[in-house]
Amino acid sequence: MTTPSTPILRAAGATVLGLLALGASASVPALAQAPQAREADGALRAIDEDYSRKLHELERDRLNRLQKLAAERQPKEAAAVYQQLFRLAIAGNLFVEAEPAADAVIKGGSPSPTTSALAHLVKLVAECDRGDYDQSLIDLRSIMAKVDKAAAEGEPAVALTSEEVVSICDAYYQRLVQGGRFDVARKAFELAVEHADQPTVKAFLGSRLTRLKLVGEPAAPIQGVDLDGKPFSLADVKGKAVLVVFWATWCLPSAAETEWLQQAYETFHPQGLEIVGVNLDLMQEGAPKLESLLPNIRRFVFDYNVRWPTLVNRPADGDVAKTYGVTEIPANVLIGRDGKVAAIDLTRKNFESTVSKVVGR
Protein backbone atom coordinates (compact mmCIF):
# COMPACT_ATOMS: atom_id res chain seq x y z
CA MET A 1 0.00 0.00 0.00
CA THR A 2 1.33 3.42 -0.82
CA THR A 3 2.17 5.64 2.11
CA PRO A 4 -0.37 8.45 2.35
CA SER A 5 0.79 12.01 2.70
CA THR A 6 -2.73 12.75 3.90
CA PRO A 7 -5.46 10.21 4.71
CA ILE A 8 -7.34 10.84 1.47
CA LEU A 9 -4.39 9.93 -0.70
CA ARG A 10 -4.03 6.30 0.18
CA ALA A 11 -4.58 3.85 -2.66
CA ALA A 12 -6.84 1.06 -1.50
CA GLY A 13 -6.60 -2.67 -1.96
CA ALA A 14 -2.83 -3.13 -2.06
CA THR A 15 -2.87 -5.05 1.20
CA VAL A 16 -4.36 -8.51 0.90
CA LEU A 17 -6.57 -8.19 -2.14
CA GLY A 18 -3.71 -8.14 -4.59
CA LEU A 19 -4.67 -4.81 -6.16
CA LEU A 20 -1.26 -3.19 -6.39
CA ALA A 21 -1.51 0.56 -5.95
CA LEU A 22 1.72 2.37 -6.76
CA GLY A 23 1.57 6.13 -6.47
CA ALA A 24 2.81 8.21 -9.39
CA SER A 25 3.43 11.91 -9.43
CA ALA A 26 0.31 13.95 -10.09
CA SER A 27 2.26 15.91 -12.67
CA VAL A 28 3.01 12.87 -14.83
CA PRO A 29 0.06 11.44 -16.79
CA ALA A 30 1.62 7.98 -16.91
CA LEU A 31 -1.64 6.17 -16.30
CA ALA A 32 -3.60 7.50 -19.24
CA GLN A 33 -2.94 5.17 -22.14
CA ALA A 34 -3.46 6.12 -25.74
CA PRO A 35 -6.13 4.02 -27.51
CA GLN A 36 -3.54 2.18 -29.63
CA ALA A 37 -1.63 1.19 -26.51
CA ARG A 38 -4.72 -0.53 -25.18
CA GLU A 39 -4.75 -2.97 -28.11
CA ALA A 40 -2.04 -4.95 -26.37
CA ASP A 41 -3.94 -5.07 -23.08
CA GLY A 42 -5.46 -8.48 -23.81
CA ALA A 43 -2.09 -10.11 -24.41
CA LEU A 44 -0.53 -8.37 -21.42
CA ARG A 45 -3.42 -9.37 -19.21
CA ALA A 46 -3.05 -13.00 -20.31
CA ILE A 47 0.63 -12.95 -19.38
CA ASP A 48 -0.15 -11.40 -16.01
CA GLU A 49 -2.91 -13.92 -15.30
CA ASP A 50 -0.64 -16.84 -16.22
CA TYR A 51 2.08 -15.47 -13.96
CA SER A 52 -0.40 -14.95 -11.11
CA ARG A 53 -1.69 -18.50 -11.49
CA LYS A 54 1.79 -20.00 -11.35
CA LEU A 55 2.76 -17.78 -8.44
CA HIS A 56 -0.39 -18.82 -6.59
CA GLU A 57 0.52 -22.48 -7.08
CA LEU A 58 4.03 -21.87 -5.73
CA GLU A 59 2.74 -19.99 -2.71
CA ARG A 60 0.16 -22.66 -1.98
CA ASP A 61 2.86 -25.33 -2.19
CA ARG A 62 5.03 -23.32 0.21
CA LEU A 63 2.19 -23.11 2.74
CA ASN A 64 1.61 -26.86 2.52
CA ARG A 65 5.28 -27.58 3.10
CA LEU A 66 5.41 -25.20 6.04
CA GLN A 67 2.41 -26.90 7.61
CA LYS A 68 4.07 -30.29 7.28
CA LEU A 69 7.25 -28.88 8.76
CA ALA A 70 5.36 -27.41 11.71
CA ALA A 71 3.67 -30.76 12.38
CA GLU A 72 7.10 -32.36 12.76
CA ARG A 73 8.42 -29.82 15.27
CA GLN A 74 8.05 -29.39 19.01
CA PRO A 75 5.35 -26.88 20.07
CA LYS A 76 7.66 -23.88 20.53
CA GLU A 77 9.43 -24.40 17.21
CA ALA A 78 6.13 -25.25 15.50
CA ALA A 79 4.67 -21.94 16.69
CA ALA A 80 7.41 -20.01 14.89
CA VAL A 81 6.82 -21.96 11.67
CA TYR A 82 3.08 -21.42 11.88
CA GLN A 83 3.63 -17.69 12.41
CA GLN A 84 5.63 -17.53 9.19
CA LEU A 85 2.94 -19.52 7.39
CA PHE A 86 0.12 -17.26 8.54
CA ARG A 87 1.99 -14.06 7.74
CA LEU A 88 2.75 -15.33 4.24
CA ALA A 89 -0.92 -16.23 3.81
CA ILE A 90 -2.03 -12.76 4.90
CA ALA A 91 0.44 -11.05 2.57
CA GLY A 92 -0.53 -13.30 -0.34
CA ASN A 93 -4.30 -13.30 0.22
CA LEU A 94 -4.26 -17.05 0.74
CA PHE A 95 -6.62 -17.40 3.67
CA VAL A 96 -8.50 -20.48 2.47
CA GLU A 97 -5.20 -22.17 1.62
CA ALA A 98 -3.95 -21.50 5.16
CA GLU A 99 -7.17 -22.58 6.86
CA PRO A 100 -6.05 -26.20 7.47
CA ALA A 101 -3.01 -24.89 9.34
CA ALA A 102 -5.23 -22.47 11.27
CA ASP A 103 -7.54 -25.34 12.22
CA ALA A 104 -4.56 -27.38 13.43
CA VAL A 105 -3.39 -24.57 15.71
CA ILE A 106 -6.89 -23.79 17.01
CA LYS A 107 -7.52 -27.47 17.78
CA GLY A 108 -4.11 -28.29 19.23
CA GLY A 109 -3.33 -24.97 20.86
CA SER A 110 -0.07 -23.07 20.77
CA PRO A 111 2.38 -21.78 23.38
CA SER A 112 2.50 -18.52 21.46
CA PRO A 113 -0.41 -16.06 21.89
CA THR A 114 0.58 -14.41 18.61
CA THR A 115 0.46 -17.69 16.68
CA SER A 116 -2.91 -18.50 18.20
CA ALA A 117 -4.28 -15.06 17.34
CA LEU A 118 -3.07 -15.29 13.75
CA ALA A 119 -4.70 -18.71 13.40
CA HIS A 120 -8.07 -17.39 14.58
CA LEU A 121 -7.87 -14.32 12.32
CA VAL A 122 -6.91 -16.37 9.27
CA LYS A 123 -9.82 -18.69 10.02
CA LEU A 124 -12.14 -15.69 10.29
CA VAL A 125 -11.37 -14.44 6.79
CA ALA A 126 -11.36 -17.95 5.32
CA GLU A 127 -14.91 -18.40 6.57
CA CYS A 128 -15.95 -15.36 4.54
CA ASP A 129 -14.28 -16.82 1.47
CA ARG A 130 -16.57 -19.81 1.93
CA GLY A 131 -19.59 -17.53 2.36
CA ASP A 132 -20.02 -18.28 6.06
CA TYR A 133 -20.35 -14.62 7.03
CA ASP A 134 -22.59 -15.10 10.06
CA GLN A 135 -20.22 -17.66 11.58
CA SER A 136 -17.35 -15.23 11.09
CA LEU A 137 -19.17 -12.68 13.26
CA ILE A 138 -19.78 -15.29 15.94
CA ASP A 139 -16.09 -16.19 15.88
CA LEU A 140 -15.06 -12.53 15.98
CA ARG A 141 -17.09 -12.05 19.16
CA SER A 142 -15.40 -15.11 20.61
CA ILE A 143 -11.98 -13.74 19.72
CA MET A 144 -12.73 -10.41 21.35
CA ALA A 145 -14.00 -12.15 24.49
CA LYS A 146 -10.75 -14.11 24.71
CA VAL A 147 -8.74 -10.91 24.24
CA ASP A 148 -10.62 -9.27 27.10
CA LYS A 149 -10.13 -12.29 29.34
CA ALA A 150 -6.42 -12.51 28.57
CA ALA A 151 -5.95 -8.82 29.32
CA ALA A 152 -7.84 -9.14 32.60
CA GLU A 153 -5.69 -12.10 33.67
CA GLY A 154 -2.46 -10.36 32.71
CA GLU A 155 -1.47 -12.85 30.01
CA PRO A 156 1.21 -11.89 27.45
CA ALA A 157 -0.08 -9.54 24.76
CA VAL A 158 -0.37 -10.57 21.13
CA ALA A 159 2.54 -9.18 19.11
CA LEU A 160 0.96 -7.99 15.88
CA THR A 161 1.98 -4.78 14.12
CA SER A 162 -0.66 -2.23 13.21
CA GLU A 163 0.06 -2.92 9.54
CA GLU A 164 -0.71 -6.61 10.00
CA VAL A 165 -3.93 -5.90 11.84
CA VAL A 166 -5.04 -3.39 9.20
CA SER A 167 -4.29 -5.91 6.44
CA ILE A 168 -6.43 -8.56 8.09
CA CYS A 169 -9.23 -6.12 8.84
CA ASP A 170 -9.15 -4.89 5.25
CA ALA A 171 -9.39 -8.46 3.95
CA TYR A 172 -12.35 -9.09 6.23
CA TYR A 173 -14.03 -5.84 5.20
CA GLN A 174 -13.61 -6.48 1.49
CA ARG A 175 -15.11 -9.93 1.68
CA LEU A 176 -18.12 -8.80 3.69
CA VAL A 177 -18.75 -5.85 1.40
CA GLN A 178 -18.32 -7.86 -1.79
CA GLY A 179 -20.68 -10.45 -0.35
CA GLY A 180 -23.25 -7.74 0.28
CA ARG A 181 -23.27 -8.44 4.01
CA PHE A 182 -23.20 -4.85 5.18
CA ASP A 183 -25.16 -5.87 8.28
CA VAL A 184 -22.43 -8.25 9.43
CA ALA A 185 -19.71 -5.80 8.44
CA ARG A 186 -21.22 -2.99 10.49
CA LYS A 187 -21.61 -5.14 13.61
CA ALA A 188 -18.10 -6.54 13.18
CA PHE A 189 -16.44 -3.17 12.79
CA GLU A 190 -18.39 -1.61 15.65
CA LEU A 191 -17.08 -4.42 17.83
CA ALA A 192 -13.55 -4.09 16.49
CA VAL A 193 -13.44 -0.31 17.02
CA GLU A 194 -14.34 -0.81 20.69
CA HIS A 195 -11.37 -3.14 21.16
CA ALA A 196 -8.78 -1.37 19.02
CA ASP A 197 -5.96 0.24 20.96
CA GLN A 198 -3.46 1.03 18.19
CA PRO A 199 -4.18 4.53 16.76
CA THR A 200 -3.60 3.47 13.15
CA VAL A 201 -5.90 0.48 13.50
CA LYS A 202 -8.58 2.50 15.28
CA ALA A 203 -8.47 5.16 12.55
CA PHE A 204 -8.74 2.53 9.81
CA LEU A 205 -11.67 0.77 11.47
CA GLY A 206 -13.38 4.08 12.10
CA SER A 207 -13.11 5.15 8.46
CA ARG A 208 -14.52 1.85 7.27
CA LEU A 209 -17.35 2.03 9.78
CA THR A 210 -18.22 5.54 8.59
CA ARG A 211 -18.68 4.19 5.07
CA LEU A 212 -20.65 1.19 6.22
CA LYS A 213 -23.09 3.45 8.01
CA LEU A 214 -23.94 5.10 4.67
CA VAL A 215 -25.65 1.95 3.39
CA GLY A 216 -29.41 2.23 3.62
CA GLU A 217 -29.31 5.94 4.34
CA PRO A 218 -30.35 8.77 1.97
CA ALA A 219 -27.44 9.77 -0.24
CA ALA A 220 -25.88 13.13 0.57
CA PRO A 221 -26.32 15.83 -2.10
CA ILE A 222 -23.68 16.05 -4.82
CA GLN A 223 -23.45 19.04 -7.09
CA GLY A 224 -20.80 20.87 -9.02
CA VAL A 225 -19.50 21.67 -12.49
CA ASP A 226 -17.94 19.00 -14.69
CA LEU A 227 -14.81 19.36 -16.82
CA ASP A 228 -16.84 20.84 -19.68
CA GLY A 229 -18.35 23.48 -17.46
CA LYS A 230 -21.74 21.80 -17.32
CA PRO A 231 -23.56 21.75 -13.97
CA PHE A 232 -24.23 18.39 -12.33
CA SER A 233 -26.56 17.67 -9.45
CA LEU A 234 -27.58 14.36 -7.97
CA ALA A 235 -31.09 15.76 -7.75
CA ASP A 236 -31.21 16.00 -11.56
CA VAL A 237 -30.94 12.22 -11.94
CA LYS A 238 -33.54 11.42 -9.31
CA GLY A 239 -35.21 8.07 -9.97
CA LYS A 240 -32.10 6.57 -11.56
CA ALA A 241 -29.37 4.42 -10.06
CA VAL A 242 -26.14 6.41 -9.72
CA LEU A 243 -22.61 5.11 -9.26
CA VAL A 244 -20.28 7.70 -7.75
CA VAL A 245 -16.68 6.81 -8.60
CA PHE A 246 -13.79 8.36 -6.67
CA TRP A 247 -10.45 8.27 -8.47
CA ALA A 248 -7.14 10.04 -9.18
CA THR A 249 -4.79 10.09 -12.15
CA TRP A 250 -1.90 8.84 -10.00
CA CYS A 251 -3.73 5.74 -8.75
CA LEU A 252 -3.15 2.67 -10.92
CA PRO A 253 -6.34 0.86 -9.90
CA SER A 254 -8.28 3.91 -11.08
CA ALA A 255 -7.08 3.22 -14.61
CA ALA A 256 -7.95 -0.47 -14.46
CA GLU A 257 -11.34 0.29 -12.93
CA THR A 258 -12.18 2.87 -15.59
CA GLU A 259 -11.77 0.29 -18.36
CA TRP A 260 -14.27 -2.21 -17.03
CA LEU A 261 -16.63 0.52 -15.91
CA GLN A 262 -16.84 1.64 -19.53
CA GLN A 263 -18.14 -1.81 -20.45
CA ALA A 264 -20.55 -1.78 -17.53
CA TYR A 265 -21.79 1.67 -18.51
CA GLU A 266 -22.66 0.47 -22.01
CA THR A 267 -24.65 -2.40 -20.51
CA PHE A 268 -26.51 -0.67 -17.72
CA HIS A 269 -26.88 2.95 -18.85
CA PRO A 270 -29.86 2.12 -21.10
CA GLN A 271 -31.48 0.48 -18.06
CA GLY A 272 -31.18 3.54 -15.87
CA LEU A 273 -27.64 3.63 -14.48
CA GLU A 274 -25.78 6.93 -14.37
CA ILE A 275 -22.12 7.33 -13.39
CA VAL A 276 -20.43 10.43 -12.04
CA GLY A 277 -16.69 10.58 -11.45
CA VAL A 278 -15.12 12.52 -8.59
CA ASN A 279 -11.44 13.25 -9.18
CA LEU A 280 -9.23 13.67 -6.10
CA ASP A 281 -6.02 15.01 -7.65
CA LEU A 282 -6.52 18.34 -5.91
CA MET A 283 -6.58 16.62 -2.51
CA GLN A 284 -2.97 15.46 -2.68
CA GLU A 285 -0.75 17.27 -0.19
CA GLY A 286 1.31 19.90 -1.97
CA ALA A 287 -0.80 19.63 -5.12
CA PRO A 288 -0.57 22.59 -7.49
CA LYS A 289 -3.55 24.75 -8.31
CA LEU A 290 -6.45 23.26 -10.21
CA GLU A 291 -5.40 25.02 -13.41
CA SER A 292 -2.16 23.02 -13.41
CA LEU A 293 -3.90 19.72 -12.71
CA LEU A 294 -6.68 20.01 -15.27
CA PRO A 295 -4.55 18.98 -18.30
CA ASN A 296 -3.71 15.63 -16.64
CA ILE A 297 -7.30 15.05 -15.62
CA ARG A 298 -8.63 15.95 -19.06
CA ARG A 299 -6.08 13.71 -20.76
CA PHE A 300 -7.07 10.75 -18.58
CA VAL A 301 -10.75 11.31 -19.34
CA PHE A 302 -10.03 11.71 -23.06
CA ASP A 303 -7.72 8.71 -23.41
CA TYR A 304 -10.18 6.44 -21.64
CA ASN A 305 -13.15 7.90 -23.50
CA VAL A 306 -14.97 8.57 -20.26
CA ARG A 307 -18.53 9.51 -21.17
CA TRP A 308 -19.92 10.35 -17.78
CA PRO A 309 -19.51 13.72 -16.02
CA THR A 310 -16.38 14.23 -13.95
CA LEU A 311 -16.27 16.60 -11.01
CA VAL A 312 -13.09 17.73 -9.26
CA ASN A 313 -13.24 17.27 -5.51
CA ARG A 314 -12.48 20.47 -3.65
CA PRO A 315 -11.26 20.67 -0.05
CA ALA A 316 -13.84 23.28 0.92
CA ASP A 317 -17.44 23.45 -0.26
CA GLY A 318 -17.13 20.68 -2.84
CA ASP A 319 -15.56 17.99 -0.64
CA VAL A 320 -17.67 15.07 -1.79
CA ALA A 321 -15.03 12.59 -0.62
CA LYS A 322 -15.32 13.78 2.98
CA THR A 323 -19.10 13.67 2.80
CA TYR A 324 -18.99 10.02 1.71
CA GLY A 325 -16.21 9.00 4.10
CA VAL A 326 -13.71 8.18 1.36
CA THR A 327 -10.18 7.84 2.72
CA GLU A 328 -8.81 5.41 0.13
CA ILE A 329 -9.12 5.15 -3.63
CA PRO A 330 -10.40 3.88 -5.89
CA ALA A 331 -13.73 3.85 -4.11
CA ASN A 332 -17.33 4.02 -5.21
CA VAL A 333 -20.84 4.40 -3.87
CA LEU A 334 -23.94 2.98 -5.55
CA ILE A 335 -27.12 4.96 -5.00
CA GLY A 336 -30.44 3.27 -5.71
CA ARG A 337 -33.45 4.63 -7.52
CA ASP A 338 -34.94 5.53 -4.16
CA GLY A 339 -32.07 7.91 -3.44
CA LYS A 340 -30.55 5.73 -0.72
CA VAL A 341 -27.05 4.25 -0.68
CA ALA A 342 -27.43 0.66 -1.86
CA ALA A 343 -23.81 -0.52 -1.83
CA ILE A 344 -20.23 0.67 -1.45
CA ASP A 345 -16.87 -0.31 -2.86
CA LEU A 346 -18.11 -2.51 -5.69
CA THR A 347 -15.52 -4.47 -7.65
CA ARG A 348 -15.67 -6.15 -11.01
CA LYS A 349 -16.51 -9.38 -9.18
CA ASN A 350 -19.79 -8.24 -7.68
CA PHE A 351 -20.65 -5.22 -9.82
CA GLU A 352 -23.02 -6.82 -12.33
CA SER A 353 -25.08 -8.80 -9.81
CA THR A 354 -25.43 -5.81 -7.49
CA VAL A 355 -26.26 -3.24 -10.15
CA SER A 356 -28.73 -5.60 -11.81
CA LYS A 357 -30.75 -5.71 -8.61
CA VAL A 358 -30.61 -1.96 -8.09
CA VAL A 359 -31.70 -1.02 -11.61
CA GLY A 360 -34.35 -3.72 -11.55
CA ARG A 361 -32.97 -5.74 -14.45
Side-chain angles (χ1 to χ4, degrees):
M1 179 176 289
T2 54
T3 302
S5 52
T6 62
I8 194 64
L9 293 181
R10 185 162 55 183
T15 50
V16 294
L17 292 182
L19 298 176
L20 183 61
L22 300 177
S25 169
S27 62
V28 181
L31 302 180
Q33 302 175 2
Q36 59 268 28
R38 275 179 265 149
E39 294 179 2
D41 279 357
L44 291 173
R45 191 175 297 112
I47 293 173
D48 289 341
E49 289 175 353
D50 184 58
Y51 171 81
S52 297
R53 178 183 58 78
K54 292 178 180 178
L55 182 61
H56 181 271
E57 292 174 355
L58 284 172
E59 291 295 336
R60 183 173 55 188
D61 179 64
R62 177 160 65 164
L63 295 184
N64 289 336
R65 293 172 65 183
L66 285 171
Q67 183 176 356
K68 291 179 181 178
L69 178 62
E72 299 169 354
R73 299 296 177 91
Q74 294 300 313
K76 186 175 181 179
E77 293 179 337
V81 176
Y82 276 123
Q83 274 195 44
Q84 180 180 355
L85 186 159
F86 294 141
R87 286 188 162 112
L88 287 171
I90 293 167
N93 195 28
L94 300 170
F95 292 89
V96 169
E97 291 80 358
E99 188 175 14
D103 287 334
V105 171
I106 293 171
K107 182 179 180 180
S110 174
S112 166
T114 300
T115 300
S116 181
L118 285 169
H120 281 90
L121 292 170
V122 165
K123 176 74 174 180
L124 190 77
V125 179
E127 287 172 338
C128 288
D129 278 328
R130 293 188 277 100
D132 204 351
Y133 305 110
D134 293 306
Q135 183 61 46
S136 77
L137 181 58
I138 293 172
D139 288 346
L140 178 62
R141 287 173 174 154
S142 176
I143 292 171
M144 294 306 181
K146 290 178 181 178
V147 169
D148 290 342
K149 181 180 178 182
E153 296 177 354
E155 295 183 7
V158 174
L160 294 179
T161 67
S162 58
E163 289 78 8
E164 287 175 325
V165 177
V166 166
S167 291
I168 296 167
C169 291
D170 188 38
Y172 190 37
Y173 170 87
Q174 295 292 346
R175 283 155 172 79
L176 291 172
V177 167
Q178 290 176 28
R181 293 306 304 269
F182 302 109
D183 56 334
V184 173
R186 181 165 175 172
K187 293 175 183 177
F189 275 69
E190 286 175 342
L191 180 62
V193 165
E194 292 177 5
H195 286 77
D197 53 7
Q198 297 167 308
T200 302
V201 174
K202 201 171 188 69
F204 172 84
L205 294 171
S207 68
R208 286 293 199 258
L209 186 56
T210 296
R211 288 181 56 68
L212 287 167
K213 289 181 177 179
L214 295 173
V215 180
E217 296 297 321
I222 299 176
Q223 58 185 16
V225 178
D226 69 12
L227 297 178
D228 295 323
K230 297 178 181 179
F232 173 87
S233 174
L234 198 59
D236 294 337
V237 289
K238 184 178 180 180
K240 295 186 177 182
V242 182
L243 182 71
V244 186
V245 181
F246 298 88
W247 64 281
T249 59
W250 49 264
C251 179
L252 288 175
S254 291
E257 183 182 68
T258 300
E259 290 198 60
W260 65 260
L261 279 179
Q262 287 284 12
Q263 301 172 11
Y265 184 75
E266 293 178 2
T267 300
F268 290 102
H269 179 62
Q271 300 171 36
L273 175 69
E274 299 290 342
I275 299 180
V276 57
V278 180
N279 175 272
L280 304 182
D281 280 23
L282 194 60
M283 305 302 292
Q284 189 173 15
E285 185 175 344
K289 293 182 179 181
L290 179 58
E291 293 74 15
S292 300
L293 292 172
L294 278 176
N296 278 354
I297 300 172
R298 291 182 187 279
R299 178 177 172 182
F300 186 103
V301 169
F302 175 79
D303 284 349
Y304 282 92
N305 191 31
V306 174
R307 286 168 287 172
W308 49 81
T310 296
L311 311 180
V312 177
N313 198 74
R314 300 171 186 270
D317 297 336
D319 198 343
V320 181
K322 182 179 180 180
T323 300
Y324 282 86
V326 174
T327 57
E328 297 180 345
I329 55 174
N332 57 66
V333 174
L334 179 63
I335 301 169
R337 293 183 184 274
D338 59 358
K340 295 181 180 181
V341 174
I344 56 175
D345 298 332
L346 297 174
T347 66
R348 192 168 191 170
K349 181 179 179 180
N350 66 337
F351 182 90
E352 183 174 352
S353 59
T354 304
V355 174
S356 294
K357 295 177 182 177
V358 172
V359 299
R361 182 179 178 183

